[in-house]
Amino acid sequence: MRLRAALLQALWGSMLAVLLGGCSSLPFFSNKDEAAATAPPREPEVALYDFEVEAPAPLRTLLLEYLDLARFQRAPQSEGVAGTELDRLVAAAPAQARGLLETEGYFDATVKIAQTPAAPGGLPRIVMTVVPGARVAVQSVDIASTAPLAPRTPTRDEPWTDRLDKLRQTWSLKPGQPFRQPAWNSAKNAALGELRADGYPTAAWQSTHAKVDATAGTAVLDVTIEGGPLFRLGPIRIEGVNRYDEDAVRRLATFFGGEAYTEKLLLDYQERIVKVGLFEGASVELDASGPPEAAPVVVKVKELTQQSATFGLGYSANTGPRVSLEHYDRKVFGQPWIAHSTISFGPDLKTIGTELTSYPHDNLWRNLAAANIEQLLAADETRDSWTTRVGRSQDLTRFERVYYLEASHARVSSAPLTTSSEAASVNYHWLRRDLDNILAPTEGTALSLQGGAGYGEGVETRSDIAGEFRSRGPFVRAYTRYSAYLPFGGWFGNARVEAGQVFVHDRIGVPDNVLFRAGGEDSVRGYGYRTLGPSVNGAVVGGRVLLTGSVEMEHPLSDRVPALLGAVFVDAGNAADRWNEMRPVFGYGVGLHYRSPVGPLRLDLAYGQDERRLRLHVSVGIAF
């Protein structure tokens, strides 16, 4: 997890603004402030009459917010209403109140108003009494089309083939629900927007009728839609590409000419363009003025510079503070490749590495090559390691796939033990996300599967035994992680479980970064980073099996700032050499989380039950 200075500053600034209730109390001044200081003071507002509404609580709030009598109750004395103007407002108030009540489904309301002249030294008193009567409910809904709509291809999320049937099933104002004007407008807008996004961008309502029977308390809804022509996708027109390859943008499209238009197809295309790493922003729209049988798709992009560098200051509860430098070259030696190089330096973690990825090819596959050198100080030991890999990756809307060949080396040194291992392996990673929001999910699931096979060789030296222990041979590695998110009753729940195993005769022959350890943020909170695992000669080493899990509950701390949440959690797990040696340890605690636009900021105070001590964990973002 890399925390750039700008990102950290933005996140902490956001939290500070939230905790302080905004910036209005800070001593910032402008020309407007100076003008306000020299302007004459406003005349104080005074109550011109007493106004009361006797009605059920929700309706009382509605009337007090929108009635003219309520809005003009307080005003500067020189601008206030009095005499004949007040009488006019009183006379108009019952009709205005009935109109407001009808928007909430009360078409047979009784509204009475009484006005009492002002007593000596007092104010006139006006009392409105409301008996709302029975609320009108929707009796039936009829949705029709002036012409047949083309059938659609069903999906897992939308299993409809008939577009009109889909509108009927997803219509939000259903029979039995109260008939409210806002709900009626919302249902019409949603249905029309749904059809426009599903092949008919020029669709419009031919007629919409709501027949209300106030006596019976029923409303019959009748709407007819005029779909117009079904639009099909035509040629892609790209604007704004000067520095990079236009074909890289075209290859990101997953649709073909002649395919029926859907808004989701274009939004997914737009998201892939932004994620490719060449553009600062992008928009993808259908040109509905073009021929319906081949409407142009207009892509507008804003390119990033070819070269960019970022200096950062960061902190991680796992690896401590660091400074970092990142560099991007988005057209390496004029070729369609992106180079991302990083240097990070801290007391506990030092890394240098580079990754090359090609522009997208057919089916969104990209070639990749990477190399990394790292020194990590954790759990009273030093790990010096390097890795190189070559492979291909595919990043789709819901799925990510990576397969690669890797060569790796790791040397782990501590007072009681030193191990050194090398390995070559072939690996495959697969990830599926079904989340409402990737940065700050509140509902859905994510599943990661990893597998690898290779051959390794290693040597181990112990301080208590003379000589060396050597091992070599094949190994197989399997790992899975599952995360689930579920909102309920004002709370946000999430759970995680991860498990892994390395099938090998002797762990000495496998590099440390292939084996498993637990502890720290995103593992078992309440314990130090990489401090959980099997012990050899008093030193923690990588284990062949891993099992951890977590359950967490979050709740907004106030309605005013819903992005600031309190949390309680329980973590458990460990790493071991064999499943029968697995001894899970527990950590539990409380946290303060903030859902920022760039990902969640988490401050967690956890108690490690076995260590009997508290640890503070700080993290930004989520991991899958």
Side-chain angles (χ1 to χ4, degrees), residues 195-270:
L195 187 59
R196 286 178 174 175
D198 192 20
Y200 290 87
T202 60
W205 290 115
Q206 187 204 53
S207 63
T208 60
H209 299 292
K211 302 173 184 176
V212 176
D213 186 336
T215 303
T218 60
V220 175
L221 309 184
D222 183 1
V223 296
T224 302
I225 201 163
E226 186 172 349
L230 174 68
F231 276 69
R232 297 187 178 276
L233 299 173
I236 298 175
R237 189 168 69 238
I238 301 173
E239 301 175 7
V241 174
N242 300 304
R243 184 179 295 113
Y244 305 122
D245 189 355
E246 237 183 56
D247 287 340
V249 179
R250 296 186 188 278
R251 291 193 193 104
L252 294 171
T254 57
F255 51 83
F256 303 96
E259 188 172 348
Y261 156 76
T262 69
E263 186 178 56
K264 186 177 185 305
L265 278 175
L266 301 194
L267 290 177
D268 289 345
Y269 184 24
Q270 177 177 300

Side-chain angles (χ1 to χ4, degrees), residues 409-412 417-423 455-462 467-475 502 504-512 514-515 536 541-544 577:
H409 164 84
R411 177 182 175 85
V412 182
L417 186 71
T418 298
T419 62
S420 180
S421 305
E422 296 86 26
Y455 189 90
E457 179 178 1
V459 58
E460 180 178 273
T461 305
R462 303 184 186 180
E468 297 178 340
F469 298 87
R470 294 181 177 274
S471 177
R472 67 175 63 181
F475 65 89
V502 176
V504 65
H505 175 69
D506 193 329
R507 60 166 183 77
I508 298 174
V510 181
D512 182 76
V514 176
L515 298 170
V536 175
V541 297
R544 286 179 281 188
D577 249 346

